[in-house]
Amino acid sequence: QTLVGHRSEVWGAGLLKEESWLVTVSSDKEMRIFEIYPSKENDADTTSTSLSVHEVPKGTDTGPVNCRLLGTIQRQFSNRVLCIQVDQTGKNFAVMSGESVIEMYHVREAGELE
């Protein structure tokens, strides 16, 4: 299945937080963060890679791997994304785009936000 939600073409994607989150970047200046989790009904099937999008709570599983939209971040620049690079910790990532622009982001833990 297809992850939906961007209003224009997706230019890049990367895995964050020990591969439990997926970040996508597109030409609409938005980054979307999805939580990735296995379906309880399909725990035995580990060969499939299809994804289904849910904006409903966990537990409404329809595929072997499910995604739930966590949120959207507006990029500062609208330049075409050339690539997205995630560091080894999965907590920092860079979005590299045309015209010599690199946007840096850090994923904060819940305790860091207080």
Side-chain angles (χ1 to χ4, degrees), residues 75-87:
R75 291 181 48 236
Q76 292 183 359
F77 300 94
S78 60
N79 304 19
R80 180 171 174 82
V81 173
L82 301 174
C83 77
I84 181 170
Q85 186 68 43
V86 180
D87 76 347

Side-chain angles (χ1 to χ4, degrees), residues 26-61:
S26 74
S27 61
D28 61 10
K29 289 183 61 174
E30 288 185 344
M31 293 185 295
R32 291 184 176 256
I33 310 291
F34 297 90
E35 178 185 26
I36 302 170
Y37 60 95
S39 172
K40 293 177 183 173
E41 297 174 5
N42 297 303
D43 285 341
D45 181 11
T46 58
T47 59
S48 179
T49 57
S50 66
L51 298 174
S52 56
V53 176
H54 297 281
E55 293 189 35
V56 295
K58 277 186 175 180
T60 311
D61 303 331

Side-chain angles (χ1 to χ4, degrees), residues 3 13-16 20-24 32-36 51:
L3 292 173
L15 293 171
L16 305 171
S20 64
W21 287 6
L22 174 70
V23 60
T24 59
R32 291 184 176 256
I33 310 291
F34 297 90
E35 178 185 26
I36 302 170
L51 298 174

Side-chain angles (χ1 to χ4, degrees), residues 56-98:
V56 295
K58 277 186 175 180
T60 311
D61 303 331
T62 61
V65 178
N66 295 279
C67 289
R68 180 174 62 102
L69 181 64
L70 296 176
T72 300
I73 302 169
Q74 290 291 321
R75 291 181 48 236
Q76 292 183 359
F77 300 94
S78 60
N79 304 19
R80 180 171 174 82
V81 173
L82 301 174
C83 77
I84 181 170
Q85 186 68 43
V86 180
D87 76 347
Q88 292 177 348
T89 68
K91 295 181 181 180
N92 302 295
F93 64 98
V95 176
M96 292 158 264
S97 56

Side-chain angles (χ1 to χ4, degrees), residues 5-21:
H6 285 288
R7 292 183 289 271
S8 60
E9 63 187 29
V10 174
W11 288 340
L15 293 171
L16 305 171
K17 290 192 57 130
E18 299 174 357
E19 300 185 352
S20 64
W21 287 6

